[in-house]
Amino acid sequence: MTFQILVSDPVNQEGLEPLLSNEEVNVDQKTNLSEEELHELIPHYDALIVRSQTTVTASLIEAATQLKVIGRAGVGVDNIDLDAATENGVIVVNAPDGNTMSTAEHTFAMMMSLARHIPQAYQSLMNGKWDRKSFKGVELNKKTLGIVGMGRIGTEVAQRAKACNMSIVAYDPFLTEERALKLGIVKGTMDDIYEQADFITVHTPLTKDTRHMIDEQAFAKMKNGVRILNCARGGIIEENALLQAIEDGKVAGAALDVFEEEPATHHPLLSKPEVIATPHLGASTEEAQTLVAYDVSEEILRILKGEPFKNAVNMPSISSEVREVLEPYYYLGEKLGEMAIQLVLEAPTKVTITYAGELTDYDTSSLTRNVMKGLLSYHLGDKVNVVNTFHMAKSYNLSYSVEYSGSARDFTNLITVSIETKNGTRTISGTMLTGYGPRIIKIDDYSIDIAPDTHLLYIQHRDTPGMIGLVGTTLGKHDINIATMQVGRKEEGGDAIMMLAIDRPTDQNAFHDLGLIENITSVKDIHL
């Protein structure tokens, strides 16, 4: 059997070599097709490869009666209707790792240019000036580099920094002491980075927690003369705060490859001589463009041949019977994962997912993917999906296991997620209640009953009279409305927990006042 593959956008030819040299496939490269022409051709193809020009709509996917896989030779898949692809059983793959080296090298080039004022000195020379005094730089040697995010790119940057005799302190929610030791770096907190680093570079996805994570308060904690780099995602650094920190002399320089809104040709940061910038060039190398095409080509071959694959970005196909049973639990599983990871303060070392009751009669692998997606995506954002979640867990050295129990106590079904860290284990359990939907019914050894709402407040305290009133009054003072409240305790007067569903996130002032209440030991916002 010969598989038919259509390449509808210009794609690096060397990267297509796995397909072009394979006798089992026939590759047609037809670019600049009109929407009508593409609809007419697509029913004859088993695979489609695009970059950013072709928009893969629901109607196109429905017309592609033979299509098994769509490959995006790049990272983003905004031009592909993922829901339609999933509904029609079409796997969508991308190439998330093809730009690792190019982005790491670009980051390091920017850091060296920032340290030695290379772009500014070049421009001065091009303007006819021979000015050696204005561009005195600093060495990387013996400086401390703070790395926020130790995925593939952050790890590659760390290796290059070590070659320049830099000390490295890094923060990543999945970075363990053991992995840090193996990499020859120091595992620290964000405050450690702010206090110690001469250079700070960010390599995290853009999520609700990383958006503007480096803000006015963060700059205030940094060393005077710190230098900042962002070759990851625009929005991680609050740009107005960065501008002010440069004007105040706190930040000696910034190197930016990304901006919150692009193109950013008239951004006020570009007027500052302390800033060097490039127009989102992190992945713009010949090698990266070859690699993304090559990775997608290999993934498509594996899928067409029925072999294991890793970089799919939509739901894998399962039988309609199993999906009908498990689908109500997908949301619950994902929220259990999201809540569980927010309960731990240290990097997780192992995750155990236990299914009990009637769920044990089914293949729960797709449900496990949703649990792990929720757990990982809280910190990694949309880098994680239900197909690549196991691969992402492995890349962060996070092991997981699945267990089954015949007893679900008083519930038809029960899902329990346990996360082990070096300091212990945290556990959360949930179920589906008829007429009520998904419910969280236990945290560690405390029984509760609450829906996994968007904004939750988790309070640990001693069980003393009047505690509920004090919490309610304090939140009311800050205009935070309580939707529901659940209290769990082991014994009268002992340790207890309070879980509240609130209408909006808790601000820092409310946090401060809650912390002043006697017998409250910790307060935690949980965002779902």
Side-chain angles (χ1 to χ4, degrees), residues 382-451:
D382 57 10
K383 285 176 61 177
V384 186
N385 57 69
V386 291
V387 179
N388 72 3
T389 183
F390 295 156
H391 172 70
M392 293 295 292
K394 183 179 180 181
S395 71
Y396 280 89
N397 295 322
L398 178 61
S399 64
Y400 68 93
S401 63
V402 176
E403 298 179 356
Y404 296 92
S405 173
S407 172
R409 298 181 303 195
D410 298 325
F411 304 99
T412 305
N413 291 297
L414 192 68
I415 305 173
T416 299
V417 181
S418 298
I419 299 183
E420 295 180 25
T421 71
K422 66 177 183 179
N423 291 329
T425 301
R426 301 299 303 270
T427 300
I428 184 169
S429 299
T431 190
M432 295 290 295
L433 292 181
T434 302
Y436 294 95
R439 310 293 292 186
I440 307 302
I441 56 96
K442 195 168 189 180
I443 295 179
D444 296 326
D445 294 324
Y446 301 100
S447 296
I448 59 171
D449 178 12
I450 197 164

Side-chain angles (χ1 to χ4, degrees), residues 207-443:
T207 69
K208 59 179 178 292
D209 283 323
T210 62
R211 180 179 294 279
H212 295 174
M213 70 183 301
I214 298 184
D215 56 11
E216 182 180 357
Q217 290 74 28
F219 284 117
K221 297 176 182 179
M222 295 180 192
K223 296 170 66 172
N224 291 330
V226 67
R227 290 170 170 84
I228 305 291
L229 299 97
N230 185 5
C231 296
R233 292 288 185 271
I236 295 173
I237 298 173
E238 208 286 297
E239 292 167 353
N240 290 331
L242 173 58
L243 182 65
Q244 188 63 52
I246 292 172
E247 292 177 347
D248 292 344
K250 167 66 76 169
V251 172
L256 307 172
D257 184 48
V258 291
F259 292 84
E260 196 156 359
E261 293 184 9
E262 298 178 358
T265 53
H266 301 292
H267 199 288
L269 280 166
L270 299 180
S271 66
K272 295 297 177 182
E274 298 89 350
V275 174
I276 65 173
T278 48
H280 208 142
L281 299 181
S284 295
T285 62
E286 293 181 9
E287 293 84 354
Q289 298 307 308
T290 299
L291 279 172
V292 295
Y294 192 92
D295 288 350
V296 164
S297 296
E298 287 204 319
E299 286 284 80
I300 286 175
L301 272 180
R302 293 189 189 102
I303 292 168
L304 293 178
K305 293 180 178 181
E307 298 173 356
F309 56 94
K310 62 181 181 179
N311 288 327
V313 294
N314 62 339
M315 176 75 78
S317 297
I318 61 174
S319 70
S320 57
E321 292 80 9
V322 173
R323 176 179 289 278
E324 185 177 353
V325 173
L326 297 184
E327 197 157 24
Y329 292 89
Y330 288 152
Y331 177 83
L332 171 65
E334 186 170 335
K335 297 310 169 186
L336 284 171
E338 282 188 48
M339 289 187 68
I341 195 63
Q342 293 179 70
L343 293 177
V344 300
L345 300 178
E346 308 84 18
T349 55
K350 183 180 179 182
V351 178
T352 302
I353 303 167
T354 303
Y355 298 108
E358 294 178 359
L359 287 174
T360 60
D361 296 333
Y362 299 92
D363 177 3
T364 55
S365 58
S366 62
L367 182 51
T368 300
R369 289 178 183 274
N370 278 268
V371 175
M372 292 299 292
K373 173 183 178 290
L375 190 149
L376 290 168
S377 64
Y378 179 75
H379 290 298
L380 301 180
D382 57 10
K383 285 176 61 177
V384 186
N385 57 69
V386 291
V387 179
N388 72 3
T389 183
F390 295 156
H391 172 70
M392 293 295 292
K394 183 179 180 181
S395 71
Y396 280 89
N397 295 322
L398 178 61
S399 64
Y400 68 93
S401 63
V402 176
E403 298 179 356
Y404 296 92
S405 173
S407 172
R409 298 181 303 195
D410 298 325
F411 304 99
T412 305
N413 291 297
L414 192 68
I415 305 173
T416 299
V417 181
S418 298
I419 299 183
E420 295 180 25
T421 71
K422 66 177 183 179
N423 291 329
T425 301
R426 301 299 303 270
T427 300
I428 184 169
S429 299
T431 190
M432 295 290 295
L433 292 181
T434 302
Y436 294 95
R439 310 293 292 186
I440 307 302
I441 56 96
K442 195 168 189 180
I443 295 179

Side-chain angles (χ1 to χ4, degrees), residues 9-17 20 29 51 73 286-287 289-294 297:
D9 287 341
V11 174
N12 181 279
Q13 292 299 293
E14 186 179 348
L16 290 175
E17 186 57 29
L20 296 173
Q29 299 184 61
R51 280 190 58 78
E286 293 181 9
E287 293 84 354
Q289 298 307 308
T290 299
L291 279 172
V292 295
Y294 192 92
S297 296

Side-chain angles (χ1 to χ4, degrees), residues 108-126 134-138 273 276:
F108 215 77
M110 293 282 273
M111 182 158 60
M112 298 186 79
S113 298
L114 184 64
R116 300 304 297 269
H117 306 294
I118 291 174
Q120 296 94 326
Y122 168 79
Q123 189 60 54
S124 175
L125 188 59
M126 290 301 98
S134 299
F135 304 110
K136 183 183 293 185
V138 296
I276 65 173

Side-chain angles (χ1 to χ4, degrees), residues 131-204:
D131 183 0
R132 299 180 63 192
K133 295 182 180 180
S134 299
F135 304 110
K136 183 183 293 185
V138 296
E139 296 180 358
L140 301 185
N141 180 48
K142 296 184 180 180
K143 297 298 191 300
T144 297
L145 172 63
I147 303 179
V148 183
M150 283 298 293
R152 286 183 176 84
I153 296 172
T155 299
E156 292 293 336
V157 171
Q159 291 176 349
R160 285 154 180 75
K162 287 177 63 181
C164 287
N165 199 31
M166 300 184 82
S167 300
I168 300 161
V169 56
Y171 168 77
D172 188 294
F174 297 104
L175 179 65
T176 61
E177 295 283 1
E178 292 75 17
R179 182 166 177 254
L181 183 64
K182 185 177 180 180
L183 292 172
I185 65 177
V186 175
K187 176 182 181 291
T189 64
M190 288 299 297
D191 281 349
D192 291 333
I193 289 176
Y194 297 150
E195 293 167 5
Q196 301 173 27
D198 303 294
F199 292 80
I200 297 176
T201 180
V202 295
H203 298 286
T204 71

